[in-house]
Structures are given as structure tokens and as C-alpha cells.
Amino acid sequence: MKTLTLANRDLFWPPADELIEVAERIRARLGDWPRARVDWRICLAAPDTARSGDIVVVIGAQADAGDARAWRTAGASLIVADIGGAALTTAGGERYALEGKLPEDWLAALAAFLDCGFEPPDALVLALAWRDGDETTGDDAWPVDLARFPLVAGLPAAPAQPFPLCAPRLGLYPVLPSAQWVERVLALGVATVQLRVKDAPPDRLRAEIGQAVAAGRRHGASVFINDYWREAAEAGAYGVHLGQEDLETADLAAIAQSGMRLGLSTHGYFEMLRALHFRPSYLAFGAVFPTGTKTLATAPQGLARLERYVRLLGEQVPLVAIGGIDLPRLPAVLATGVGSVAVVSAVTGAADPARAVADLQRVFDI
């Protein structure tokens, strides 16, 4: 395999030829990825002038608070690492702390994963999942052994009662804007749906959730409720779906005690590790493609990332792919091995929703 050239780029400061050589060997075994959107520079010593895209690395001790503030003001991020793991603080103040073994080549691996287009929190997860010499084991040395991945530090305890399991492959999973849509789609034979109601007053919200849950019972289907876990529990819903931001506010113990299933959204490796800590019933991964149904906090993930996500977690927890997936794209999505695909406009935006559902279901049955 041709070795990718990193040596002519300002990848490390000060320049570090040995690290560049190792980073090139690692990068050459990670596959073909689009270039990073940012020209990251890993600073092994304090830069004279920090800049946006710098990641200043401090080993074994906290950085001087004044220096750290100055670096962040200039747009740089900071990694503080020691024998027990590493913590990244971005220029915006977001902190991502990981516990795990630091391989000898972790800085070279970090550079390689950044070059693959991963944002620093996810590249740091992958760098800590790396093991020295992995680049010699084959053409694709991507970390896919969950036992080797770090843990997210500082999380609250997971609920004592695990969330109930759901089917390992949920199949077609329409996300629908109203109880009327839930009724309509369940009547077409779909087994799993999600009700995602936006900006409804409390009385209407409870009515919509109650109607959707009742429809699920009549059809013997699984109805998940997006966000509104209290109302979902009151109605006896099969499950609830939450975003990463909801993990800060939702009472996960109460959700577990209610018997509801829990689905969690993830957008990369760090969020995946954070979600796994709480032992959810399934993980949703996206957005796979660009989508107009909601504002994206991260760039579209693409099929290559989804395929590696499936290889890592396919036997651990059910996975749902979401984001910009329609009938033409569905075969390629399923080819990654993912067991469920959530769709929105592919059903609700179709001229003939019944035909759209039938066509989508047919791809799953092939």
C-alpha cells in the first residue's frame, strides 16, 4: 500500500520526524478518507503564537492557567495527558475526558485520525484505542475491539436497572410528526416507529402521545417517543428516544424503572462511549447524509464511518442509521451491516406514502 505523505505538512510543533514517520505508517493502514476540514497542528511544546487548529499537548501536569486561556483565546485546544488517560479542552471550553492506557504511539495515531477527518474528541478516542504496532497487522488496522477503547471519565452512575432490550434488528424505523401519521404508517405493517412532535402545547402533546401509544398496542408495534420521557412514561410507551443533550437533564433511573426502552442519539466515537455507559436499548448514529429535517451540529458521517461503527458495536447493541436516507441510498446503508434505518422525509415527504413504505420494506427483505 502506498504510504501517505504527511511530512510536507505542519503537523507537529516543533517538527518531529520520528512521529511523522509513525503517523504516516498508521495513516496508510486506515483507508481512504477525505482530508480534514482543518489543518490541525499538534504542539508538543508551547507555541510562540497559538492559532486556530492548534492542539497543545501537556504531559503529566496541568498547563499554566494563564497560558491555557491565551491558547484557547487564540483558537487552540488543549490536551492534558498522563498514565491514566487524557482530557481535551476545546477553544470553546468543551471538555472531553477519557480514562485508558496511553499507547506509546498515541500522538502519531492522533495525527493520523485527525488526518482522516475526525474531530479532535473522536480522534482522541481512536488514538487511545490504538495499540503500538497495529499498523503492521493488515491493510485495515482500524480499532474495532471495544475492550480496547477508553472510558469517558466523570459520568454519573448508570441506572441500577438496565434498560430493557429491544429487537437486535429493528428494520425500517419511520420518524413521524403526529399521531395521525403513526396510525397511518402502522396500518401499513411497519413494526417500529418514533413520534417526534415539535412545539406542541402540553394538552395536545399528551393527546398525541396517548393516541400514538394506543395505536402501537392495537397493531402490536413498538412506538418510541422523542424527548418527552415523562409524558411517554405516563402513557405507557414502549420506548423513548433522547439526544445527547438530554443526558444532562433526563431522569434515566425513572425511565429505566418505567420499563421503557431507551434509544440514544450519537454522532461519533466520544458520544458513542458516553451513551454506552448508560446501557441503552439501542444507539442511533447519524447524520449519515446531509438532511434538511434538522440543523446538524456535526458534518454528515458517511457510509465509511457507519460501517466501522457497525463493526465495533454490531454485536453489543442494536444500531439505527439516520439522516438523509432515502430509497436510492438504502441498499448502500444496509450493506454496512446496520440492522435498522430511520427515515423521515422518505415517508412523510413522499407523494404516495403507502408505496414509499412498501418500496423501503422491499429493500429490507432482499
Side-chain angles (χ1 to χ4, degrees):
M1 178 178 289
K2 181 180 178 182
T3 299
L4 301 180
T5 300
L6 304 178
N8 61 347
R9 290 157 52 189
D10 191 12
L11 196 59
F12 291 100
W13 174 259
D17 291 343
E18 289 186 6
L19 275 174
I20 286 285
E21 291 173 5
V22 178
E24 285 184 333
R25 291 201 304 269
I26 293 172
R27 179 66 185 86
R29 295 295 184 268
L30 298 182
D32 185 18
W33 297 85
R35 272 288 307 276
R37 294 181 297 170
V38 176
D39 286 329
W40 301 105
R41 183 176 71 162
I42 300 172
C43 299
L44 310 176
D48 292 335
T49 303
R51 67 188 190 190
S52 178
D54 278 355
I55 301 174
V56 183
V57 178
V58 177
I59 305 292
Q62 293 289 334
D64 178 85
D67 287 340
R69 282 194 298 271
W71 296 333
R72 287 171 46 199
T73 299
S77 300
L78 172 68
I79 291 178
V80 177
D82 59 32
I83 193 171
L88 165 75
T89 303
T90 68
E94 298 89 357
R95 189 171 186 272
Y96 304 86
L98 296 166
E99 296 176 352
K101 177 184 176 182
L102 281 178
E104 183 178 340
D105 290 342
W106 76 277
L107 283 169
L110 176 66
F113 289 115
L114 288 170
D115 188 70
C116 291
F118 286 85
E119 293 299 314
D122 294 331
L124 183 59
V125 168
L126 291 164
L128 267 63
W130 187 258
R131 292 295 178 269
D132 301 329
D134 276 358
E135 72 274 14
T136 66
T137 61
D139 286 346
D140 186 352
W142 201 267
V144 290
D145 181 357
L146 189 59
R148 289 169 36 167
F149 274 65
L151 301 176
V152 176
L155 293 176
Q161 179 177 339
F163 291 98
L165 300 175
C166 54
R169 305 182 75 83
L170 298 175
L172 179 64
Y173 185 1
V175 179
L176 305 166
S178 68
Q180 183 178 10
W181 266 107
V182 170
E183 296 259 15
R184 185 177 183 182
V185 170
L186 293 185
L188 298 173
V190 175
T192 304
V193 300
Q194 181 185 137
L195 175 67
R196 183 194 285 169
V197 178
K198 298 181 180 179
D199 303 322
D203 288 347
R204 183 184 155 221
L205 176 65
R206 286 185 171 85
E208 289 279 331
I209 290 174
Q211 183 181 341
V213 170
R217 292 196 185 105
R218 286 198 307 275
H219 290 279
S222 303
V223 176
F224 287 86
I225 307 301
N226 185 271
D227 285 350
Y228 297 103
W229 61 270
R230 292 183 183 87
E231 293 81 359
E234 291 171 3
Y238 177 83
V240 64
H241 181 93
L242 301 179
Q244 288 278 317
E245 66 282 359
D246 299 312
L247 292 174
E248 304 291 340
T249 57
D251 188 338
L252 298 182
I255 296 172
Q257 290 167 6
S258 75
M260 290 191 297
R261 279 74 178 168
L262 174 67
L264 292 176
S265 293
T266 66
H267 307 86
Y269 282 95
F270 185 89
E271 290 190 358
M272 173 268 291
L273 291 180
R274 186 171 182 243
L276 283 176
H277 169 78
F278 297 104
R279 298 175 294 178
S281 305
Y282 75 77
L283 291 183
F285 177 79
V288 179
F289 302 108
T291 175
T293 59
K294 63 189 302 186
T295 302
L296 297 181
T298 58
Q301 303 294 302
L303 292 174
R305 295 193 187 196
L306 175 61
E307 189 271 337
R308 282 162 174 78
Y309 211 68
V310 171
R311 285 167 54 193
L312 177 65
L313 294 180
E315 301 300 321
Q316 305 289 331
V317 62
L319 298 179
V320 178
I322 187 170
I325 302 171
D326 54 16
L327 183 62
R329 288 169 166 164
L330 182 57
V333 173
L334 292 179
T336 67
V338 72
S340 181
V341 174
V343 297
V344 184
S345 57
V347 171
T348 59
D352 184 347
R355 180 173 178 179
V357 168
D359 289 343
L360 290 164
Q361 291 278 39
R362 195 173 298 115
V363 178
F364 278 89
D365 294 338
I366 293 176

